[in-house]
Amino acid sequence: MTHVVVTGGSGKLGAAVVTELLEHGYEVTVLDRVRPAALDPRAQFVQLDLTDYGQVLEALTAVDDRYDHVDAVAHLAAVPAPGLLTNSATFANNVPSTYNVFAAAQAAGILNVVWASSETVLGLPFGSSPPPSFPVDESYAVRPQSTYSLGKAVEEEMARHFTRWNPDLKLIGLRFSNVMVESDYAAFPAFEDDPESRSWNAWGYIDARDGAQAVRLALESTLTGFEAFIIAAADTVLSTGSSELAARYFPDVPFTREVVPAETLLSIEKARRMLWYRPEHSWRDHV
């Protein structure tokens, strides 16, 4: 059985990833500052501070009677959005934690690391920095607009060099859209009253269960080196057509291809092609 440690398993996405991995036969250990409120009894928990390299290195090698090896890492722990802490506190938590995971994994001989990057590196909020085209994809250089996003951009740059130093290493950054769980969907109909309120990320979102699927598929991928993938739902948060929304709120942004009425404007084609990612969940099934 493959042993995967999941940092941030107490979070919205992390909890879904733990469930996804357990249901697919993985041994799972959650590494976090706080114990998950409802930890699956099949999973283990080890408390640690990811900003402390020594603790991370120990956790990726062995922990007394808990485990004696780690095969792969899903690194999801972070301050999850801009503005939750001061800018310097956000950067000082997120970037060193990710460096410690990358460096400790390499020191421990772990070659399979998937981590949570962010849609924000695409230039969010789009209201102040429209994308070059729709659907937005991974083809253009990152352009962070916040300290949180700057940290994610730094993490992706670190990944490029860690994999340059070690060509056998796999570091996959998943640029998750706004993560939602089923209970969040009750609020979606109200977005229809103010479509502009969700234009900041081109009306994107990701169901946590589909985000977890993407993590598992990335861990199972035979890719090596650094790759980044946009991970979003197949649709938008609104019933209004995607092309109509773009024409209304981003009239100067061209389309590179036609999109179907409710199709996401955050392209998941690369993830579909290279990871076999197939989102299965939509808010429309719950409202």
Side-chain angles (χ1 to χ4, degrees):
M1 183 182 293
T2 300
H3 180 208
V4 180
V5 297
V6 179
T7 76
S10 300
K12 185 184 288 189
L13 176 61
V17 169
V18 170
T19 298
E20 174 80 5
L21 293 177
L22 288 170
E23 289 181 350
H24 284 80
Y26 291 88
E27 178 185 352
V28 177
T29 298
V30 173
L31 305 179
D32 213 331
R33 284 180 174 173
V34 295
R35 185 181 182 88
L39 182 65
D40 190 298
R42 295 172 293 174
Q44 303 182 97
F45 172 74
V46 174
Q47 186 175 29
L48 87 169
D49 179 355
L50 286 164
T51 65
D52 182 332
Y53 175 76
Q55 291 185 45
V56 179
L57 180 59
E58 287 185 293
L60 296 191
T61 50
V63 176
D64 280 345
D65 59 349
R66 295 299 181 90
Y67 54 85
D68 60 7
H69 76 286
V70 173
D71 298 300
V73 181
H75 172 45
L76 311 175
V79 177
L84 300 178
L85 299 178
T86 62
N87 294 348
S88 60
T90 298
F91 194 92
N93 180 83
N94 289 2
V95 177
S97 295
T98 299
Y99 169 82
N100 288 345
V101 169
F102 290 175
Q106 179 156 279
I110 300 167
L111 300 176
N112 190 0
V113 180
V114 175
W115 94 99
S117 185
S118 169
E119 65 181 354
T120 61
V121 301
L122 299 168
L124 275 56
F126 288 142
S128 58
S129 176
S133 60
F134 285 128
V136 178
D137 61 24
E138 300 89 349
S139 64
Y140 64 96
V142 299
R143 48 185 194 183
Q145 302 289 339
S146 65
T147 302
Y148 168 82
S149 182
L150 176 64
K152 293 299 182 181
V154 170
E155 292 171 14
E156 290 194 5
E157 187 65 13
M158 286 195 297
R160 287 186 177 89
H161 297 294
F162 271 95
T163 55
R164 179 172 60 86
W165 298 338
N166 184 354
D168 294 327
L169 177 62
K170 177 176 74 179
L171 290 175
I172 292 181
L174 300 179
R175 297 175 176 176
F176 290 109
S177 189
N178 192 189
V179 178
M180 302 289 182
V181 294
E182 189 172 338
S183 60
D184 293 324
Y185 294 140
F188 275 41
F191 297 153
E192 303 287 346
D193 298 330
D194 184 15
E196 190 172 11
S197 69
R198 294 291 307 187
S199 64
W200 57 274
N201 76 337
W203 305 279
Y205 76 105
I206 177 66
D207 187 287
R209 293 165 293 185
D210 285 329
Q213 176 207 149
V215 170
R216 177 179 58 81
L217 291 171
L219 288 168
E220 293 173 351
S221 168
T222 58
L223 294 169
T224 56
F226 163 66
E227 291 286 352
F229 296 92
I230 295 171
I231 302 297
D235 58 352
T236 67
V237 300
L238 294 176
S239 58
T240 306
S242 305
S243 297
E244 179 183 340
L245 288 168
R248 186 187 312 171
Y249 296 103
F250 299 98
D252 298 324
V253 177
F255 275 78
T256 57
R257 62 172 175 81
E258 292 185 6
V259 296
V260 299
E263 182 180 346
T264 179
L265 294 174
L266 303 175
S267 175
I268 55 176
E269 293 311 302
K270 181 181 177 183
R272 286 183 184 274
R273 184 178 71 255
M274 296 179 66
L275 297 179
W276 293 95
Y277 169 63
R278 299 291 186 271
E280 300 173 349
H281 301 279
S282 170
W283 68 273
R284 299 162 207 272
D285 300 326
H286 301 282
V287 174

